[in-house]
Amino acid sequence: MQLRYAMTGLVVVLSLAGCQRTAYDYSSNASAGPAPLTAQPVPSVQGGQLPPPTGSSQFPAAPTTTTTAPMPGAQPGAMAANALDITKESMVGSWRVNGSCDMFLTLTNLGSGSRGGTRGCVGELTAMGSWEVAGKQVLLKDRSGNQLGSVYKTADNRFEGQTSTGQSISLSR
């Protein structure tokens, strides 16, 4: 039993022997500190008048397309007459675009529409940022609110339409 007490005491003494005071010693030379840094050269500063701003406004121009205008080259009457009714809620989710890339539509508000985007697409649809339902068509818009294209429901989980440049778009699930 005494051996156990002796070993415990030896362990405590050895562990405390490695400890030392690590606080700052104020009795040492208080004026000694790190050497001051040398100043770096500064280039001269030039002054002058700025040229007047170009254009009449600091803000970009408003989108020029309207939300109800048909796409150029489309036959809106024929397309709208055959189009099926749609709701915004039925559009939410992932869609396959032209069988080659993906479009994602959410109900999160973004400007006048809802947030949307594409992955793996080329051309105009890479700039898609929002969408909205207007009558029997779905308007696809860029991040500035300009219309990129529109599609109409032609069957369950199938939409057909075109971009503003006339390229055909088909959405399917």
Side-chain angles (χ1 to χ4, degrees):
M1 177 99 93
Q2 289 183 353
L3 182 62
R4 189 165 87 188
Y5 291 125
M7 290 302 285
T8 304
L10 181 62
V11 169
V12 169
V13 170
L14 287 175
S15 64
L16 292 177
C19 296
Q20 64 180 355
R21 186 171 182 197
T22 58
Y24 181 73
D25 184 11
Y26 292 102
S27 64
S28 68
N29 188 359
S31 64
L37 298 174
T38 57
Q40 296 294 316
V42 177
S44 63
V45 178
Q46 297 178 355
Q49 196 69 5
L50 292 174
T54 58
S56 62
S57 175
Q58 65 181 358
F59 300 105
T64 56
T65 58
T66 61
T67 59
T68 58
M71 297 305 298
Q75 294 116 359
M79 183 89 59
N82 296 332
L84 302 172
D85 290 331
I86 54 174
T87 62
K88 196 170 187 178
E89 291 77 17
S90 68
M91 294 299 300
V92 174
S94 175
W95 293 87
R96 193 76 177 150
V97 181
N98 297 336
S100 62
C101 63
D102 297 311
M103 180 181 291
F104 305 97
L105 306 177
T106 71
L107 289 177
T108 306
N109 289 337
L110 181 67
S112 64
S114 296
R115 188 175 303 275
T118 60
R119 178 179 61 199
C121 293
V122 294
E124 292 176 271
L125 292 179
T126 59
M128 183 187 158
S130 67
W131 65 282
E132 65 182 78
V133 174
K136 291 187 174 189
Q137 65 179 338
V138 177
L139 305 176
L140 309 175
K141 298 181 176 188
D142 65 11
R143 292 169 188 91
S144 300
N146 298 313
Q147 188 172 332
L148 295 175
S150 66
V151 292
Y152 296 88
K153 185 173 184 177
T154 57
D156 284 343
N157 295 322
R158 180 97 177 147
F159 287 80
E160 301 288 335
Q162 64 183 8
T163 65
S164 58
T165 60
Q167 181 182 14
S168 66
I169 305 172
S170 74
L171 302 179
S172 61
R173 286 194 202 201

